[in-house]
Amino acid sequence: MTPPARLAPLALLAALLLSGCVSPAWDDHDYALKAGKTAESAVSALRFARSTVAYRDRMTGPYAEVVLTEAVQDLSSVNDQFGGVQPPSDASDRIRDEVLRLTEKAESEVEDLLIQARRDGVKDPAAAVRELDRLASELSDFAEKHK
């Protein structure tokens, strides 16, 4: 098993555990911290998807599909859980809109890659890796800003 393939189950578990850490937000600061953690969880799922696309030639098709499926499920869970947290103010509404825009875009991108993988394979793996890197970078910047 290649190094990225060995790390995938651990990273998916970490993403799942982090995505389960959402609770009510009592004030804007608490809400921003939750938004930052949400972004971090999304970055984790994106990095697994990226590794799967980048190293697809080193793993079986079914394994790649499982990893991408888990990444989509993790991103969906992140969106659902954070989307259920009530923003305490108008300022928090803007944070909510920004993080959900990014995480929903990430989910959509990985879903599209999963569909491609199940059909004939990812059409342009290099472009997909660049897009996943770009999204992960935006989410990482968001998370860093909301620590």
Side-chain angles (χ1 to χ4, degrees), residues 3 7 36 63-64 94 109 121 123 128:
L7 296 176
Y63 182 75
R94 289 187 292 280
E109 184 68 26
K123 293 175 185 136

Side-chain angles (χ1 to χ4, degrees), residues 47-129:
R47 287 190 176 139
F48 282 111
R50 183 215 183 276
S51 293
T52 301
V53 172
Y55 301 105
R56 170 60 191 92
D57 58 333
R58 298 181 187 176
M59 60 184 77
T60 65
Y63 182 75
E65 289 177 25
V66 167
V67 174
L68 290 173
T69 298
E70 290 292 327
V72 168
Q73 290 172 347
D74 288 349
L75 288 163
S76 176
S77 176
V78 163
N79 286 328
D80 290 346
Q81 289 182 18
F82 185 76
V85 178
Q86 181 81 29
S89 72
D90 291 341
S92 291
D93 286 343
R94 289 187 292 280
I95 290 172
R96 178 183 189 276
D97 292 345
E98 184 179 358
V99 74
L100 288 178
R101 177 187 61 79
L102 291 169
T103 58
E104 287 169 358
K105 174 65 177 150
E107 181 182 358
S108 177
E109 184 68 26
V110 177
E111 269 181 340
D112 290 346
L113 292 172
L114 175 59
I115 290 167
Q116 289 177 39
R118 286 185 175 159
R119 291 180 181 167
D120 299 322
V122 175
K123 293 175 185 136
D124 188 350
V129 165

Side-chain angles (χ1 to χ4, degrees), residues 12-49:
L12 288 172
L13 177 61
L16 182 61
L17 291 174
L18 286 173
S19 68
C21 297
V22 177
S23 59
W26 303 109
D27 57 29
D28 287 334
H29 177 70
D30 186 40
Y31 192 81
L33 291 174
K34 290 178 187 308
K37 290 295 183 188
T38 296
E40 287 177 2
S41 294
V43 168
S44 179
L46 280 173
R47 287 190 176 139
F48 282 111

